[in-house]
Amino acid sequence: MANPRPGLAILGAGIFVRTQYIPRLAEISDLFVLRAIWSRTEESAKGAVEIARKHFPDVECKWGEEGLDEIIRDNSIVGVGVVLAGQIQVEMSLKMLKAGKHVLQEKPAAASISEIETAISSYKNISTGSPSPSIWAVAENYRFEPAFVELKKLVGEIGTMMNVQLIVEGSMNSSNPYFSSSWRRNLGGGFILDMGVHYIAGLRMLVGCEVTSVSATTTHVDTSLPAPDNITSNFQLENGCSGVFVMVVSSKSPKILWRVVGLKGTVQLERGMQEGRHGYLATVYSDRGETRTIFYPFSGVTEELKAFFHDVSQASASQEGEPRLSYLEGARDVAVLEAMLESGAKDGALVPVKRF
Ligand SMILES: *[C@@H]1O[C@H](CO)[C@@H](O)[C@H](O)[C@H]1NC(C)=O
Ligand SMILES: *[C@@H]1O[C@H](CO)[C@@H](O)[C@H](O)[C@H]1NC(C)=O
Ligand SMILES: *[C@@H]1O[C@H](CO)[C@@H](O)[C@H](O)[C@H]1NC(C)=O
């Protein structure tokens, strides 16, 4: 007999919950029971619950301190999704872990390396002595995008890695729903940290090793955006290869591209569209001059949610969790960007990346 479906609560009712969590959860509603959506304010919680009720008629609306306590005391809720402002996510995740809930926290893992260090120490303290410690997962959908999973396998076939390029020209202008998001604007590093962790996660996954040191130039050009809005960085990989990371937060010519050049071929991933669907074009250039391109539509958010529910259902069996969800993986993405921002602030000084 299968375990009963785990009860889930979502803490947060912002744009990402309304436009991603609710519809993606609806696609896999056989894996869990959505018990509650919580927000600090009643108005915000109600707005999200109204959307969710189309798929989950029994979901309850919770808000404020009292609503949070009710979620904590409800033993039928075993997992929570923490989808809040980047500055308060860690505190909330730790509170839930302490209460014995499994946590899937949205990226970034934390707002800074120092916050990550305290968080890891607190988590260890909470887990120590517990026979089956609660899971603390970071939701980084890029690690679950089929395009990255598939292309990563082909990186092994291009021979010695010679160079890596990661070019991001974002479209964070006033038409973007996240443009006015105050917490994103107030996160140290402007939009570069919040958006950048995705691209670094993709980079680390494709190259299959860690970034060891960086040297970066940062500038602030577009004053409608928080500083900095441009970064150009050299980076050194553990495998001896070097590369460049360029990110323009708001460009008139959006482009997102990873390219890994090897002695025997090149692989490339580029954001694109096919038949009205958004996704990635994965291209392999072989040493015989052949080129093939495959389109992979987005499905990373759904895949990461599935992996979390799988881990939760296995948790009491003390199985190893999905490594792509681990808090440390999220911490490593933040560490690379923090090193780049620090280097930018020090006129391009070489900065080692903090290891976790
Ligand atoms: C974890 O426990 C150790 C030993 O008791 C303590 O020194 C440390 O400050 C604790 N960490 C946090 C973040 O509370
Ligand atoms: C924002 O960028 C998108 C994508 O490039 C573009 O379609 C849109 O017109 C831009 N909006 C503004 C206000 O510049
Ligand atoms: C920074 O990005 C802006 C667009 O946001 C671009 O016009 C400008 O040339 C860039 N500056 C540098 C120094 O890269």
Side-chain angles (χ1 to χ4, degrees):
M1 181 64 206
N3 288 330
R5 290 180 295 158
L8 175 77
I10 300 175
L11 310 185
I15 308 167
F16 200 66
V17 168
R18 295 171 191 219
T19 62
Q20 285 296 320
Y21 266 73
I22 294 171
R24 298 293 82 78
L25 285 169
E27 291 166 9
I28 52 171
S29 58
D30 54 324
L31 299 180
F32 63 95
V33 179
L34 183 61
R35 299 249 176 234
I37 296 180
W38 176 91
S39 180
R40 198 153 291 284
T41 68
E42 178 181 358
E43 188 192 4
S44 157
K46 279 191 167 153
V49 164
E50 202 172 303
I51 297 168
R53 286 230 166 103
K54 292 185 194 98
H55 309 283
F56 306 97
D58 300 325
V59 62
E60 287 184 49
C61 185
K62 305 272 184 195
W63 63 90
E65 283 305 314
E66 206 182 305
L68 200 58
D69 285 340
E70 285 165 13
I71 287 174
I72 288 176
R73 284 197 304 270
D74 184 341
N75 290 330
S76 74
I77 296 175
V78 299
V80 294
V82 174
V83 197
L84 295 165
Q87 291 88 343
I88 58 166
Q89 291 199 126
V90 167
E91 192 191 331
M92 184 63 88
S93 294
L94 288 169
K95 187 172 182 157
M96 292 297 134
L97 290 163
K98 222 175 246 174
K101 313 285 189 199
H102 299 297
V103 171
L104 177 68
Q105 179 201 306
E106 260 310 308
K107 44 60 60 181
S112 68
I113 291 176
S114 63
E115 190 185 19
I116 288 172
E117 287 175 332
T118 317
I120 291 174
S121 165
S122 304
Y123 180 49
K124 277 192 186 134
N125 288 0
I126 294 168
S127 309
T128 303
S130 165
S132 59
S134 299
I135 298 164
W136 189 3
V138 167
E140 173 46 81
N141 51 308
Y142 279 46
R143 281 190 260 282
F144 290 85
E145 288 298 345
F148 286 91
V149 175
E150 291 308 315
L151 207 64
K152 179 183 169 60
K153 296 176 190 160
L154 299 176
V155 168
E157 295 172 17
I158 57 167
T160 308
M161 215 179 272
M162 295 196 287
N163 182 260
V164 183
Q165 298 149 41
L166 168 46
I167 311 294
V168 179
E169 285 185 52
S171 52
M172 187 49 77
N173 59 33
S174 55
S175 317
N176 190 299
Y178 299 103
F179 182 78
S180 309
S181 158
S182 59
W183 74 258
R184 288 182 175 81
R185 292 183 158 262
N186 294 329
L187 205 63
F191 282 111
I192 288 178
L193 180 65
D194 177 55
M195 294 163 68
V197 283
H198 285 309
Y199 312 127
I200 299 297
L203 169 74
R204 291 181 47 247
M205 182 153 173
L206 281 183
V207 299
C209 67
E210 297 301 329
V211 179
T212 53
S213 64
V214 303
S215 164
T217 304
T218 50
T219 53
H220 189 203
V221 181
D222 184 340
T223 52
S224 75
L225 294 165
D229 66 327
N230 294 258
I231 188 162
T232 306
S233 180
N234 286 315
F235 58 79
Q236 190 63 45
L237 297 174
E238 216 169 20
N239 64 4
C241 180
S242 65
V244 289
F245 169 51
V246 174
M247 181 168 169
V248 175
V249 173
S250 180
S251 152
K252 296 277 181 238
S253 48
K255 182 181 192 69
I256 304 182
L257 172 112
W258 293 254
R259 198 170 158 96
V260 182
V261 185
L263 261 179
K264 295 194 292 185
T266 296
V267 294
Q268 174 179 300
L269 258 192
E270 183 167 11
R271 266 279 266 283
M273 278 183 81
Q274 205 170 73
E275 290 159 8
R277 293 199 294 175
H278 288 275
Y280 293 98
L281 291 155
T283 305
V284 180
Y285 305 84
S286 79
D287 55 353
R288 294 179 302 279
E290 294 155 358
T291 304
R292 54 195 161 99
T293 298
I294 303 175
F295 177 76
Y296 295 94
F298 288 148
S299 68
V301 175
T302 313
E303 294 304 319
E304 87 193 345
L305 289 167
K306 276 193 210 163
F308 178 67
F309 294 126
H310 179 264
D311 279 1
V312 166
S313 68
Q314 300 291 312
S316 53
S318 43
Q319 300 272 346
E320 281 294 311
E322 165 61 57
R324 287 173 292 168
L325 284 176
S326 91
Y327 187 81
L328 285 180
E329 282 295 311
R332 290 173 187 135
D333 299 331
V334 173
V336 173
L337 281 161
E338 190 164 309
M340 287 174 177
L341 290 164
E342 184 186 332
S343 173
K346 291 180 178 166
D347 290 327
L350 190 71
V351 174
V353 175
K354 168 87 190 169
R355 302 301 290 256
F356 287 106

